[in-house]
Amino acid sequence: ECLPFIAVIADDPTDENVGGRSIQVYPFSPSNAVKYCSSGPLSVLSEGKRGFIVFNDTSEMAQYPGWSFRNLIAAIRIHNPSCTSLRFLGLRDSLSDIRLDADPTASEPTSATGSNPKVATGLRDGVVTTSLVYECSMAALPENTLSEVSKQLRSILDDDETAPAGPLKVVGWSTKSIETTEMSSMMNPAALADSSSKLNLSLMKWRMMPTLDLSKITECKALLLGSGTLGCNIARHLLMWGVTNITMVDRGRVSYSNPVRQTLFEVQDVVDNKYKADAARDALKRILPNANVKSVNMTIRMPGHRVHVDDAEDLKRARDDITQLEQLIAEHDVTFLLTDSREARWLPTVIATALEKPVLNTALGFDTYVVMRHGLPGHGILTEEEKAAAVADVEKFLPAGTDDIKKEEAIVRGLAQAKAAKRPGCYFCSDVVAPMDSLTARTLDQQCTVTRPGVSGIASALTVEVLATLYNHPKFFMSPAYKSDGENENNAHAHGQASGDALGPAETVLGVVPHQIRGTVSDYHTSVMYGHYYDKCTGCSDIIVDLYKKDGVDFIIKCMNDPLHMEDVTGLRAEKEAMEAKYANWEDDDDLFDESDDSGSEGGTGKKKVAEDDEWATV
């Protein structure tokens, strides 16, 4: 260790021991520093002498000093505001070869042969080969700098209400004899891992995308329903994007077939008979110790999987499971549907839609995948201009003389269609069959999801990229969906970021905001698609959501025990029966051709009959 001191070097041809130079040493003080180490009128040195403020420089950078240098400058400038230049010598070698016999209490120099301070005679060549000399110039400060700093410090120490707002930034020495500094953030492995984990994100923003917004996604609270292949992969990708508030949900335990496919599990988890959610939580905490990861071992109730209402215990368990899921979805910012079966995604869809909470859905086939975000009720709200346009479209096709009642009914249908067209659909909107038990009648091998190993990784990565894109849109999850077929103005600037053009309404700095991404690894094709909201959907339709809000858990349990109840209340069953009855007489395709006009005969046209039903084209 070495306290700072003043060294004045003078040419002395008679002293061969120090290479023809003499060195006088003075104790450090702000006033001595200005006297001996500055230039101009403040200096007291005669010609041929140079003074340096010598300090122990702990910096490992080639051309930059350590923090002690900053402290010294601050102390000197506060006490001597008019000082505009200083010279420093930062020692970076061992001081064992320097013998200093100066009395540190001396305030005035004496001659080299006097008692205090004495000439340092032990400085040998090569000692300071890696040390640096700093010639500093600066602007003068106001003369009242010291008094102003003292006043501010006194105000803060006395809890004066007139103290300046915000923290006072001060560097220098304390009058206390012992000072402590909190250094755990620089030495604690968990803290170091936390700060270093965001390095790639910081470089992305600094080097590639200055307008990238990372502040919101890092605050995201993510609920992962399913802790299997998809859940493990998505959790890892969430950490990559800085999402550390994660809750893993699953009811299963880790089995021997899991570790090779599900990236957060090990064989020891099987030996310990761990729940998947718990094992995933522990693995994520090992990867990033400061991550806020929770686990919940619970059953997600499904249509077709009966609740025995006559069994008080079974009924209570079902109610508790449904209530717990409601609470989890309400507490999180986004819910990921990652379960094995279709029916396990139904209840979270209903609850999230009722709470207007965002949902990201990822599903796998053998060599295919789908990634989609569910539309929210707010997506279907029409502006006044959109309402007027929808009404105009209806009126344009109404026959002349249509009475007011039929006209009003047509306008209502037209507005409903306009809302449905604007609102993206959910996972169940493209189905005409209610979700029901798909597991009970299957053998064990049929219950397992069979998929090519790489499909899960692709789908998981795309899911989290969609999340990051949504968080970079000004409307977040209310962002309109990009339509790749040029259906509307959302395609105005499909690659605006790359070309330098303004971004379209369904685009961000990261690219387009899709509704669905569907792909296959059989021909490595990926498509961005859009699916409309279906007013008879068994998952997100207004009818289902309203009944859930009205009857709560009782409605859910009724759907569990009778999945076709969903088709009844939405009108889906009636619509299917009407369609089947309407075309029941069409037995085969041959009836659609005119037998008297054979396409195989000479002069034949092969044209289809004109269907008597005007709605054939629609069908």
Side-chain angles (χ1 to χ4, degrees):
E1 296 183 0
C2 175
L3 294 174
F5 60 91
I6 308 296
V8 177
I9 301 176
D11 294 335
D12 187 358
T14 63
D15 195 340
E16 297 179 356
N17 188 44
V18 290
R21 290 174 179 166
S22 63
I23 301 177
Q24 290 179 305
V25 178
Y26 303 86
F28 172 80
S29 69
S31 58
N32 279 350
V34 174
K35 287 181 183 178
Y36 303 115
C37 305
S38 65
S39 58
L42 297 178
S43 176
V44 299
L45 295 181
S46 59
E47 187 176 352
K49 293 184 178 181
R50 289 180 299 160
F52 298 88
I53 303 166
V54 184
F55 67 99
N56 185 23
D57 190 356
T58 58
S59 172
E60 296 182 356
M61 302 183 71
Q63 298 181 357
Y64 301 99
W67 273 92
S68 55
F69 176 77
R70 178 173 175 174
N71 292 341
L72 288 169
I73 288 184
I76 296 168
R77 296 204 71 195
I78 289 175
H79 286 273
N80 301 276
S82 59
C83 177
T84 58
S85 65
L86 289 169
R87 285 185 297 272
F88 291 84
L89 173 60
L91 295 180
R92 297 193 179 186
D93 288 303
S94 171
L95 299 179
S96 59
D97 291 325
I98 302 178
R99 187 175 74 251
L100 302 177
D101 298 326
D103 180 359
T105 63
S107 59
E108 295 294 332
T110 61
S111 64
T113 58
S115 60
N116 197 17
K118 295 183 179 179
V119 176
T121 59
L123 185 62
R124 296 202 297 267
D125 292 338
V127 172
V128 293
T129 54
T130 60
S131 300
L132 297 175
V133 173
Y134 304 98
E135 296 277 356
C136 303
S137 60
M138 61 210 81
L141 297 174
E143 289 299 327
N144 63 343
T145 298
L146 178 58
S147 62
E148 286 297 317
V149 171
S150 300
K151 179 180 177 181
Q152 293 181 28
L153 286 173
R154 283 194 300 271
S155 298
I156 293 174
L157 294 174
D158 296 339
D159 294 328
D160 190 346
E161 294 182 357
T162 62
L168 178 65
K169 297 180 180 179
V170 177
V171 290
W173 289 280
S174 170
T175 57
K176 297 180 181 179
S177 58
I178 298 177
E179 284 290 331
T180 61
T181 303
E182 177 60 51
M183 301 289 289
S184 63
S185 61
M186 301 179 63
M187 294 179 283
N188 185 344
L192 290 172
D194 187 56
S195 61
S196 300
S197 65
K198 300 179 179 63
L199 176 61
N200 182 60
L201 297 175
S202 300
L203 291 175
M204 284 170 54
K205 182 175 178 63
W206 177 45
R207 296 179 56 184
M208 306 300 294
M209 294 179 175
T211 58
L212 179 65
D213 188 351
L214 297 172
S215 61
K216 297 180 182 65
I217 190 172
T218 54
E219 297 298 321
C220 171
K221 297 177 182 178
L223 176 65
L224 276 60
L225 300 183
S227 302
T229 306
L230 286 170
C232 290
N233 286 336
I234 284 180
R236 288 298 303 264
H237 282 87
L238 287 173
L239 290 184
M240 295 180 198
W241 268 105
V243 179
T244 56
N245 297 305
I246 302 172
T247 300
M248 309 294 297
V249 177
D250 206 295
R251 68 171 182 176
R253 297 179 185 269
V254 185
S255 64
Y256 280 106
S257 65
N258 295 152
V260 294
R261 298 181 296 111
Q262 301 173 4
T263 55
L264 293 178
F265 303 145
E266 302 171 352
V267 173
Q268 189 60 43
D269 297 326
V270 188
V271 176
D272 295 340
N273 197 30
K274 275 191 173 183
Y275 283 102
K276 285 187 173 183
D278 294 342
R281 175 204 61 202
D282 296 342
L284 292 171
K285 295 286 286 184
R286 288 194 298 271
I287 295 167
L288 190 62
N290 285 346
N292 179 29
V293 185
K294 301 176 183 177
S295 61
V296 179
N297 305 307
M298 63 170 289
T299 298
I300 299 175
R301 297 290 171 159
M302 300 176 282
H305 298 253
R306 292 188 59 82
V307 176
H308 299 286
V309 294
D310 296 332
D311 185 337
E313 291 186 4
D314 188 40
L315 183 60
K316 182 180 183 303
R317 284 194 299 268
R319 289 183 176 276
D320 290 344
D321 289 338
I322 295 169
T323 302
Q324 185 177 17
L325 183 60
E326 291 172 338
Q327 183 177 354
L328 285 171
I329 293 176
E331 292 173 348
H332 291 76
D333 298 320
V334 59
T335 299
F336 291 82
L337 301 188
L338 314 170
T339 55
D340 285 336
S341 67
R342 172 173 171 262
E343 61 263 33
R345 299 166 189 253
W346 177 79
L347 180 56
T349 297
V350 175
I351 296 174
T353 305
L355 297 176
E356 298 195 27
K357 287 285 189 173
V359 170
L360 289 176
N361 202 322
T362 310
L364 307 178
F366 169 66
D367 56 5
T368 58
Y369 59 87
V370 58
V371 174
M372 67 182 301
R373 60 179 174 119
H374 288 187
L376 295 170
H379 279 114
I381 298 176
L382 299 177
T383 64
E384 292 302 321
E385 292 79 6
E386 290 169 335
K387 290 179 182 178
V391 171
D393 286 342
V394 171
E395 293 176 341
K396 183 169 58 176
F397 293 100
L398 285 176
T402 303
D403 61 64
D404 292 341
I405 296 178
K406 290 186 177 180
K407 180 179 179 180
E408 185 64 27
E409 292 175 349
I411 289 175
V412 170
R413 290 196 299 271
L415 289 173
Q417 291 172 358
K419 291 179 181 179
K422 187 177 180 182
R423 176 177 169 180
C426 78
Y427 182 70
F428 297 95
C429 277
S430 58
D431 287 342
V432 293
V433 178
M436 54 188 65
D437 186 2
S438 64
L439 302 176
T440 302
R442 293 187 178 187
T443 59
L444 181 61
D445 65 300
Q446 291 175 329
Q447 294 179 27
C448 297
T449 302
V450 180
T451 181
R452 287 175 58 170
V455 175
S456 172
I458 297 171
S460 301
L462 288 174
T463 304
V464 181
E465 291 300 314
V466 170
L467 178 72
T469 304
L470 287 165
Y471 268 108
N472 272 271
H473 194 280
K475 294 184 178 180
F476 303 108
F477 293 94
M478 287 301 298
S479 160
Y482 174 80
K483 300 176 182 178
S484 60
D485 57 2
E487 185 174 326
N488 61 23
E489 70 279 4
N490 290 352
N491 298 324
H493 304 285
H495 303 285
Q497 181 66 18
S499 64
D501 297 334
L503 296 174
E507 295 179 83
T508 73
V509 64
L510 289 171
V512 300
V513 186
H515 173 226
Q516 299 182 34
I517 303 173
R518 295 181 180 266
T520 173
V521 295
S522 61
D523 59 1
Y524 301 99
H525 180 72
T526 302
S527 299
V528 176
M529 298 182 177
Y530 182 85
H532 291 288
Y533 162 82
Y534 181 34
D535 63 357
K536 293 179 176 56
C537 173
T538 57
C540 73
S541 66
D542 292 341
I543 299 172
I544 291 290
V545 172
D546 290 343
L547 284 171
Y548 164 69
K549 289 180 178 180
K550 176 177 176 289
D551 299 331
V553 176
D554 291 336
F555 171 71
I556 299 299
I557 292 177
K558 189 169 185 178
C559 293
M560 301 294 168
N561 292 339
D562 181 14
L564 294 179
H565 178 62
M566 291 179 275
E567 294 189 7
D568 291 335
V569 297
T570 58
L572 181 59
R573 179 189 288 190
E575 185 171 276
K576 290 192 296 182
E577 290 175 351
M579 189 69 66
E580 291 170 359
K582 197 166 198 175
Y583 302 105
N585 295 327
W586 293 357
E587 297 180 356
D588 53 55
D589 290 345
D590 292 339
D591 293 341
L592 299 178
F593 291 90
D594 186 346
E595 296 178 356
S596 63
D597 189 5
D598 189 355
S599 61
S601 62
E602 185 176 353
T605 61
K607 291 182 179 180
K608 288 184 179 180
K609 280 184 177 181
V610 177
E612 295 179 358
D613 194 329
D614 292 337
E615 296 187 20
W616 161 244
T618 303
V619 175

